[in-house]
Amino acid sequence: METERGHASPAYLTTAEVADYLRLKERKVYDLVRQGAMPCVRVTGKLLFPRQSIDLWLMNHLEGDRASRRPVPVVLAGSQDPLLEWAVRESGAGLALLCHGSGDGVRRLLAGEAMVAGLHLLDAHSGGYNRPESLGLSGMRDLVMVRWATRRQGLLLAPDNPLGITGLEALAGDAVRLAHRQPDAGAQRLLTWLLARAGVDARRLRFTAHPSLNEDDLALAIRQGEADAGLGVEAAARRQGLAFVPLHEEAFDLALRRRSYFEPPIQRLLAFAREARFAERAEALGGYDIGELGRVVHNA
């Protein structure tokens, strides 16, 4: 978006600017903020209004969105993410965690069984992530997707990497027991894509008998010696003291309905993610780039 002078629009508006943008009196803006009805952040006592959030707020007041209102459970579904899981607890967002993979998150979001879903689903044809049309979400006319982080995916290996595994090619054969995720999990879709790109025949791999249902389960299976390797995020490897071989950078996004974006649990979570200690935690966990956190990457 460009201004009349050709400069990029500011990411944040002041109270006077948002009042002018919405054609409201400043006093009305203050009233809306006091009622918790308008998204804003407070920096050193000054109110700032994220432009993207204000645009979403406007769209949320369209008649079509109001007509579709019905309560949804305060549930975070989809893929497990160590940083997101920590932030939900620390922020006091009040979201219940029901993380059984990205595919399950899509289904629960569509069915109205979750307020938000964490997704990292690769489109094998384009190499892009979380494309609504490839997820079956293109029919959601009020779908919003917000960037959470860019994450580093790779091979999780036993401490000190005793088998000397350096890449996907080393997984072929009977020597390596490979932990895996359920078929519609984002990590499993990524593994299939990476294997094909590397020319490794999945039929030559020795998978464990049962899938791991989340990142922690997969990392724990390797830590406990039930598997020798598996694909997961760097943060999960660090939590369990595992070796890690990086393979891919991926986008992890939050998908939700537009009206849910303004619900207190989501606003508390996003506000917490702007605090300094959140950035410190992301750095400590490892494998995260949070430079785009909060950016609206899709707005139906």
Side-chain angles (χ1 to χ4, degrees):
M1 183 175 180
E2 300 291 322
T3 65
E4 292 180 359
R5 296 181 182 178
H7 301 297
S9 298
Y12 291 88
L13 302 174
T14 64
T15 304
E17 287 170 338
V18 81
D20 182 63
Y21 185 53
L22 298 175
R23 304 294 191 267
L24 297 173
K25 293 185 181 298
E26 286 190 45
R27 186 168 62 183
K28 179 61 175 177
V29 172
Y30 284 118
D31 286 343
L32 290 168
V33 169
R34 188 164 52 249
Q35 295 163 16
M38 180 179 286
C40 69
V41 294
R42 192 179 296 273
V43 180
T44 62
K46 181 179 180 180
L47 291 176
L48 293 176
F49 300 81
R51 179 179 287 273
Q52 285 189 326
S53 296
I54 293 300
D55 288 338
L56 284 172
W57 183 81
L58 279 172
M59 293 186 71
N60 192 51
H61 286 74
L62 296 173
E63 182 61 37
D65 280 352
R66 289 202 303 269
S68 65
R69 288 181 182 273
R70 70 182 180 93
V72 293
V74 186
V75 167
L76 167 63
S79 182
Q80 181 194 31
D81 175 71
L83 180 61
L84 178 58
E85 192 176 73
W86 175 82
V88 166
R89 293 196 305 268
E90 291 294 312
S91 66
L95 287 161
L97 299 174
L98 190 61
C99 299
H100 296 307
S102 293
D104 183 72
V106 168
R107 288 191 294 272
R108 292 185 186 277
L109 186 65
L110 282 169
E113 298 173 357
M115 178 174 284
V116 58
L119 307 178
H120 63 116
L121 285 167
L122 174 76
D123 177 56
H125 298 293
S126 68
Y129 268 86
N130 304 324
R131 299 168 63 95
E133 64 274 15
S134 67
L135 300 179
L137 293 175
S138 57
M140 284 181 62
R141 59 181 175 77
D142 57 346
L143 174 67
V144 171
M145 301 190 77
V146 179
R147 179 61 39 84
W148 179 252
T150 299
R151 311 190 307 177
R152 190 173 299 125
Q153 285 268 10
L155 290 176
L156 278 62
L157 307 165
D160 300 322
N161 192 8
L163 297 180
I165 296 170
T166 58
L168 293 169
E169 296 80 3
L171 303 180
D174 293 331
V176 180
R177 298 163 299 165
L178 187 63
H180 60 106
R181 298 289 306 281
Q182 61 271 41
D184 62 353
Q188 193 63 20
R189 185 180 292 193
L190 175 60
L191 177 61
T192 300
W193 185 76
L194 289 173
L195 289 171
R197 194 175 66 166
V200 177
D201 187 347
R203 293 172 297 184
R204 296 183 57 210
L205 303 181
R206 182 187 172 192
F207 291 103
T208 55
H210 303 289
S212 301
L213 296 181
N214 57 46
E215 296 274 358
D216 282 341
D217 285 351
L218 186 141
L220 194 58
I222 297 167
R223 179 70 188 180
Q224 293 179 338
E226 299 168 6
D228 301 302
L231 185 74
V233 294
E234 182 175 348
R238 288 199 188 190
R239 282 214 292 202
Q240 293 295 334
L242 302 176
F244 181 77
V245 175
L247 295 176
H248 189 71
E249 301 281 335
E250 67 170 15
F252 190 99
D253 298 326
L254 302 178
L256 64 167
R257 294 186 180 276
R258 192 176 297 118
R259 66 182 182 270
S260 295
Y261 179 88
F262 299 98
E263 293 295 328
I266 303 301
Q267 287 298 305
R268 279 197 294 268
L269 177 64
L270 294 176
F272 175 76
R274 290 187 286 265
E275 295 184 9
R277 70 187 184 108
F278 174 86
E280 292 167 1
R281 181 70 173 194
E283 178 68 23
L285 285 172
Y288 287 101
D289 180 347
I290 58 172
E292 290 192 311
L293 194 153
R295 183 169 74 88
V296 177
V297 294
H298 177 83
N299 182 16

